[in-house]
Structure formats: C-alpha cells, structure tokens
Amino acid sequence: MDSAMVMAGPDILWHRRALIGAMASLAVLPTIPVDADARAHADPFALGVASGDPGADGFVLWTRLVGAQLEPLQAAAIVVRYEIATDAAFRGIVRTGRGLAHPERAHAVHVEVIGLPAGRPYWYRFHALGATSPVGRAVTVPRVADRLRLAVTSCQHWEQARFGVYRDIVAAEPDLVLQLGDYIYEQSYPDVPRVRDFGALEPRDLEGYRRRHALYKTDPDLQAAHRACPWVVTWDDHEVLNDYAGLANREGLPPALFAARRAAAYQAYFEHMPIRPSLWRGRREARLYRAVDWADLASLSVLDTRQYRSSPPCAAPNVARNVRLKDCAEAAAPARTIMGDAQERWLSNRLAGEMRPWTIVAQQVFFAPLWLDGAHRSTFSDQWDGYAANRNRVLHAMTRPAVRNPIVLSGDVHSFWVNDLDGPSGSAIGTEIVTSALAAASPPVGRFGDIDRNNPHVRFYDVEQAGWAKLDFDRQKLSVDMRMIVDRVDAGSAIRSLGKFTTQSGSRRMERG
C-alpha cells in the first residue's frame, strides 16, 4: 500500500499509479521495508483512524503511523495490513490488503476502497509493527435513500476549548460529519483564555504543520468522532495562515515565498485527512473541490474558496487581511473570483445536471450579503462580499429549473445564522445555514453592526454561542437543529438546542420551530 493510495477491488486490485509510485519510492530507499509483524516501542496508531468521502461502492480509509511522543518513525517504509468486515467483531471479513507506508508522506496511509455493496456499514482496522489500530466504522452510500443526517462543524481551536462537543455529535449518529474548515489553527491568541496549549511555535514548514495536525489527532473525543462515521472535509484559512487569499497573505510575503509555506500546509493537510488520494496525487496543484453525493436524495458539492481566490479587493499587493470595506467598487468587479474558473465551471455543470431534490453546496465563508451599514456600502473583504460577481453567478446557476432546493452551508464567523438567498429577481431562491465555531471564541460584540436593520434577508442569528448544526433531510423536508455549547471547558456534558428550523421542499425559505 503506497502511503498515498491503494485501490482495493474485489480481488485487491492495485491502482497502477500507486504501484508505480511504490516501486519508484522503493528504488531510492536505502533500507528494506519493515514488516507488519515487527514490533514498535510505542503505539504506532496513536493518531487514530478515520474514513471519509463515501461512495456507492466504497470509501477512503486513513491512518498515520507515528513513534513515541508522536515523533516520525525512523523507517524507510513500513508494511501495513488492513481488514474490512461487516461487523465490529470482524467475524465477517470481506476485504483484506497490505502495502507500504512511506516516510516522504509521514507514513500516512490512504486506502481507496472500491467494489463493495452499496448502502451498508463496514468496520475496519489496520495492523503494523506488531500493533492493531482501533476499529473504525465506514459506510457505503445507498442507491436509494429517504433520509440523510449531517453534522456540520467548523473552527476548532485547540487552545480555546476541549472537544467534548464531539460526544454530542457521536450520540446523534450522523451519516456524515461535514467539517467546513479551520480543522487546525496555526496561531495562538494571547488575549483569549486557554484551557490547553499548543506547546509549539506557529507552524511555517512541513514539519511544523505535521506536528500541529498530529497534536489535534491526539484528542480522544475527536478520535472517537472520526471512528464513528465517515467525514467530508474542506479547508479554510487557518490550515495555512489566517485570511490568506490565493498567494496573498497577511504578512505581505512575496508569492514565491508564501507558495512554499502553503504547499507544506496543503501536504500536511492531505496526509492527515480521509480524502480520496486520486483527487490530489499526481496533479500540478492539490485539488480539494469534489462531489460526495448521497444516493438519489441530495447532491453535495464541496468547494475550495481559498486556493483560487483573486487578491482581496482594495488592498495592498500581496496582502490579505479581513478588513471592513467601504465604497470598494473593486469588490464587485466581474473578473474577480473566489472559486477560480475551473471550479466555477465544475459547479455550474453540477447545478445544470441536478437530478436530486436537495442541492447542498458546502463551503467555508459567509455567502449571503452581510451589510455593516444601512446604506449597504460597507462589508467585510474576506467573505463572498469581496467577490460579489462570483456570488451572483452562482446564485443565477441556482435558479435553473433542475435545482429545486438549494442549500448553502458555511462556517468561519464563529456564530449561527440562517439567511435567505435572494436571486436576480430579489425573491428568495434558497437558504444559507451558517454553523458556529465548534471550539473557538465568539466574535467581538458589535462586529456585525445592526444586523436586523441592515440585512432583512437574515432570518436568524446568534453571535455569542459556539456549537454545531444538525441537519436532517428527507424527501419533503429539511430540519435544522443549532446545537449550543453551554460549557466550553467540558462541552460534552452541557449542550442544548439553541434553535430549530424547517423548510419544506419547494418553499425556498427556512421557518423557526
């Protein structure tokens, strides 16, 4: 198993590129691969296991082997075995495989499984260095579905809160956890109370980002949530550097210099996430946008609104910071993009060919207009307001007859929102649901101005509470439960509903209750 990819079919088929990559890697490695039955001095599976990006016939399995104190293993390549079963006790094993995990990928393992029956759960585990991993649960997507439950999360700062909220998520038994970015934070905030420390400086290179991801993966509640069900993830800014846009950055570094830091952060992200390696290996640039559809019930388009952005409007060259804009005509320039041309075409084609009753667009930052004044002259630069023409094109694509119920899911702003999405005619065509931070500080009081007066399309907001959003889809209705964390220090023991909302298929508006 190449550390990047294994394709596992009915006869344990190996993807040609993975095999060539493994052979090429072995050709330059000076030592013999370590056998799976060799013994480790510490638990090599200390970072846990995960599954993700399920399809009708398979899914991705992930783990990463580490040494004592999470140090990289001093081995050229390590043989890893995996098993997939129809039960948690592994009495019915339906798939096995083995391969190599390489040091150039931090001994990360991605198994891309295909050829399994649709619509059922599976359990998996890994074996390496004389140890067996924890057991995780994966699923294949059904061909026909009458329901889907999503747990939508965003923004989890290690130092500001423990992750006990994941106990509430696991108890809800979601089909998928949808993580909308800021899975890690690169920065400490000295003026915000901490409950634990990073214990390291801000990451700036591959080793630093690997260590930050590994630290996060040691949290027992986060590990349990990854074991419980598949995850679908996308990044925002803190996986690299706060507020970056393309190659523009808050430090004003030259693009070539920042590109090296961004590439290191991207590599570490992919090494630690259950994302299909066929999406990102062998490409000139890491591709994260993709489709993870749920049967015939919901299309799920997962976007990347960081990598392809135009530089921020009305800003100095190479500088990207989320600032308040006023009378910035550049923000509405037609050529400006938050998605990039290729991703925008991809989404447009997806919307044009929609066949499912629910159309979900999962992305990172506030999508609806968020006016900071009554004259509608002031906005924030880092949101879709800084790329208004791109937003208008997406909204126009959502008015196509094939798109019956468009739902945009967002995070980033550490607060809960429900917003009408107004089409070209001014009437609501869909809804944006914004989940709050799972574990991070709330925004400063007054940050968003007089929300009610300035933004009549905002149907609900709470800018003080942290938490997550539970979404239940069926054929006729979407129900949303905003889950509020009462005690951020021990979030698992104090969570309650902040507000519940529903929309009927075809209504295009959310209602309270």
Side-chain angles (χ1 to χ4, degrees):
M1 174 169 41
D2 178 64
S3 64
M5 174 165 46
V6 175
M7 296 290 288
D11 300 313
I12 316 300
L13 299 176
W14 291 73
H15 193 281
R16 184 172 180 271
R17 283 187 299 168
L19 183 58
I20 293 172
M23 293 172 62
S25 298
L26 289 174
V28 298
L29 292 174
T31 58
I32 298 173
V34 177
D35 187 76
D37 294 324
R39 297 289 170 177
H41 297 295
D43 180 11
F45 297 107
L47 304 186
V49 299
S51 72
D53 286 10
D57 71 340
F59 36 74
V60 178
L61 303 180
W62 170 91
T63 192
R64 180 191 162 198
L65 308 180
V66 293
Q69 283 77 53
L70 310 184
E71 290 296 320
L73 288 164
Q74 300 303 308
I78 298 173
V79 177
V80 180
R81 294 184 286 116
Y82 68 89
E83 297 172 309
I84 301 171
T86 56
D87 63 292
F90 285 80
R91 290 184 293 267
I93 295 176
V94 296
R95 188 68 54 81
T96 63
R98 59 186 288 145
L100 299 176
H102 292 297
E104 60 266 30
R105 296 295 173 190
H107 293 105
V109 177
H110 291 81
V111 181
E112 191 164 349
V113 180
I114 61 174
L116 295 174
R120 64 152 301 135
Y122 292 90
W123 286 261
Y124 63 92
R125 63 188 177 189
F126 297 92
H127 305 277
L129 301 175
T132 298
S133 75
V135 174
R137 178 180 174 275
V139 302
T140 51
V141 176
R143 300 290 182 183
V144 177
D146 292 325
R147 58 167 298 277
L148 167 65
R149 173 170 290 177
L150 296 180
V152 185
T153 78
S154 178
C155 304
Q156 48 187 35
H157 199 295
W158 174 270
E159 294 185 325
Q160 294 177 25
R162 297 186 180 95
F163 295 168
V165 63
Y166 278 117
R167 296 172 224 161
D168 191 51
I169 291 176
V170 171
E173 298 184 340
D175 296 295
L176 298 173
V177 172
L178 181 58
Q179 211 282 335
L180 297 179
D182 296 343
Y183 186 98
I184 67 166
Y185 274 72
E186 83 293 13
Q187 297 172 326
S188 295
Y189 293 93
D191 56 339
V192 177
R194 307 180 192 180
V195 297
R196 56 187 179 184
D197 294 325
F198 284 136
L201 298 176
E202 179 180 325
R204 293 179 176 272
D205 57 16
L206 180 56
E207 180 182 1
Y209 284 108
R210 281 173 170 169
R211 288 184 178 275
R212 185 58 50 86
H213 277 280
L215 175 66
Y216 269 71
K217 285 295 200 296
T218 64
D219 185 275
D221 291 311
L222 180 57
Q223 283 195 10
H226 274 296
R227 292 195 304 270
C229 68
W231 283 48
V232 177
V233 302
T234 187
W235 55 39
D236 195 21
D237 51 344
H238 287 286
E239 286 86 356
V240 182
L241 179 64
N242 188 26
D243 294 341
Y244 85 94
L247 292 175
N249 59 91
R250 66 185 301 106
E251 297 177 0
L253 298 173
L257 189 58
F258 184 68
R261 177 175 179 176
R262 192 183 77 167
Y266 283 3
Q267 179 173 334
Y269 183 86
F270 281 117
E271 287 173 349
H272 290 83
M273 296 296 164
I275 302 169
R276 291 185 181 273
S278 54
L279 281 172
W280 50 276
R281 291 303 304 279
R283 294 176 178 267
R284 286 186 177 181
E285 60 185 22
R287 172 175 163 175
L288 190 58
Y289 66 87
R290 63 205 188 278
V292 187
D293 298 328
W294 194 261
D296 61 340
L297 179 64
S299 66
L300 174 57
S301 299
V302 183
L303 304 189
D304 173 0
T305 65
R306 284 291 166 187
Q307 182 174 189
Y308 313 109
R309 288 186 179 210
S310 303
S311 294
C314 300
N318 302 329
V319 174
R321 296 181 179 180
N322 187 24
V323 299
R324 181 171 176 148
L325 301 173
K326 185 175 182 180
D327 296 330
C328 176
E330 185 183 350
R336 292 185 51 72
T337 179
I338 196 172
M339 300 173 65
D341 293 341
Q343 182 177 198
E344 186 175 341
R345 286 194 300 271
W346 170 83
L347 180 61
S348 180
N349 290 336
R350 291 259 300 158
L351 296 175
E354 177 63 279
M355 298 179 292
R356 298 170 177 85
W358 297 99
T359 301
I360 308 169
V361 177
Q363 53 91 52
Q364 297 77 7
V365 295
F366 210 97
F367 182 79
L370 182 56
W371 301 109
L372 306 177
D373 67 328
H376 291 183
R377 296 167 61 186
S378 296
T379 61
F380 284 120
S381 63
D382 192 59
Q383 302 170 174
W384 282 76
D385 281 324
Y387 306 84
N390 196 163
R391 176 177 59 206
N392 290 341
R393 292 192 296 269
V394 172
L395 287 170
H396 183 266
M398 288 178 176
T399 64
R400 291 170 174 157
V403 182
R404 285 174 276 173
N405 299 289
I407 304 293
V408 175
L409 303 180
S410 313
D412 180 60
V413 291
H414 299 196
S415 44
F416 288 109
W417 303 72
V418 176
N419 306 318
D420 285 343
L421 298 179
D422 294 335
S425 67
S427 59
I429 64 166
T431 297
E432 178 183 22
I433 300 164
V434 183
T435 188
S436 188
L438 181 135
S442 299
V445 175
R447 175 176 178 80
F448 304 112
D450 189 335
I451 298 169
D452 293 315
R453 185 184 69 178
N454 302 336
N455 298 277
H457 57 282
V458 172
R459 301 184 68 78
F460 170 83
Y461 63 90
D462 186 296
V463 299
E464 297 180 358
Q465 310 303 332
W468 65 284
K470 181 175 69 173
L471 277 63
D472 284 293
F473 295 84
D474 63 27
R475 291 283 170 178
Q476 299 300 324
K477 184 175 67 175
L478 164 60
S479 301
V480 179
D481 184 2
M482 304 292 196
R483 304 289 293 168
M484 164 188 163
I485 303 172
V486 179
D487 181 352
R488 298 195 189 189
V489 175
D490 186 15
S493 63
I495 298 178
R496 63 177 177 82
S497 179
L498 173 66
K500 296 183 178 181
F501 307 84
T502 61
T503 185
Q504 299 294 323
S505 178
S507 72
R508 306 284 177 125
R509 284 180 180 270
M510 297 292 295
E511 301 295 340
R512 187 77 183 262

